[in-house]
Amino acid sequence: VVIGDDVVLQPGAVVVIDRRDKAIAENGIYAVRDDSGGCTLKRLQWTPPRLWLVPENRDEPVVHIDLNSDSPDDWILGRVVWAYQPLV
């Protein structure tokens, strides 16, 4: 269930994550591990060694994770492939 307002999805939306799909696509929204042990939903950009987490909400900052590997796969949980959002 989505909590917060930093993506195109509304709070309370239910999402399905394809955990096999970690290839970063231009328009994809991904579940990414965060430092608190949870995850966040963001659009991604990969410019080694940085993984950029780009929010839909322009009021939120773009942040990055400095990685020590050639791949961000350990941080990316998967791509959002389906969402249900209540109408009200």
Side-chain angles (χ1 to χ4, degrees):
V1 174
V2 174
I3 300 171
D5 61 356
D6 62 342
V7 295
V8 70
L9 302 167
Q10 299 298 318
V14 176
V15 297
V16 173
I17 309 287
D18 182 348
R19 294 190 61 146
R20 297 169 297 167
D21 188 353
K22 297 182 180 186
I24 298 172
E26 183 175 337
N27 292 321
I29 297 175
Y30 296 85
V32 181
R33 295 183 197 280
D34 65 20
D35 292 334
S36 69
C39 74
T40 184
L41 300 178
K42 301 281 192 242
R43 296 193 188 278
L44 302 178
Q45 295 176 355
W46 172 236
T47 54
R50 289 192 169 148
L51 178 63
W52 295 90
L53 285 62
V54 182
E56 278 295 307
N57 183 344
R58 299 295 181 211
D59 294 332
E60 296 289 325
V62 174
V63 297
H64 69 272
I65 301 169
D66 287 319
L67 303 178
N68 294 328
S69 66
D70 294 331
S71 170
D73 286 356
D74 290 340
W75 286 84
I76 301 172
L77 299 173
R79 186 174 59 87
V80 175
V81 295
W82 182 87
Y84 166 77
Q85 299 190 74
L87 295 175
V88 279

